[in-house]
Amino acid sequence: MKKAIRLFFLHLFLLATVVAWSSIDNSMNLKLHFEYQQF
């Protein structure tokens, strides 16, 4: 049972990392796009 809980938290942490990374990536792309538009 403990192993299953640990595995669940590991997957949850991985998912959170992926979501955070993709949102950071999207904001960076928007920023780059905005700066490119200014020139």
Side-chain angles (χ1 to χ4, degrees), residues 11-37:
H11 278 98
L12 204 70
F13 175 71
L14 199 70
L15 190 72
T17 307
V18 169
V19 169
W21 187 258
S22 59
S23 64
I24 288 163
D25 208 36
N26 286 339
S27 62
M28 286 283 281
N29 284 341
L30 281 166
K31 199 195 241 176
L32 282 167
H33 187 70
F34 183 70
E35 283 174 8
Y36 184 72
Q37 288 263 325

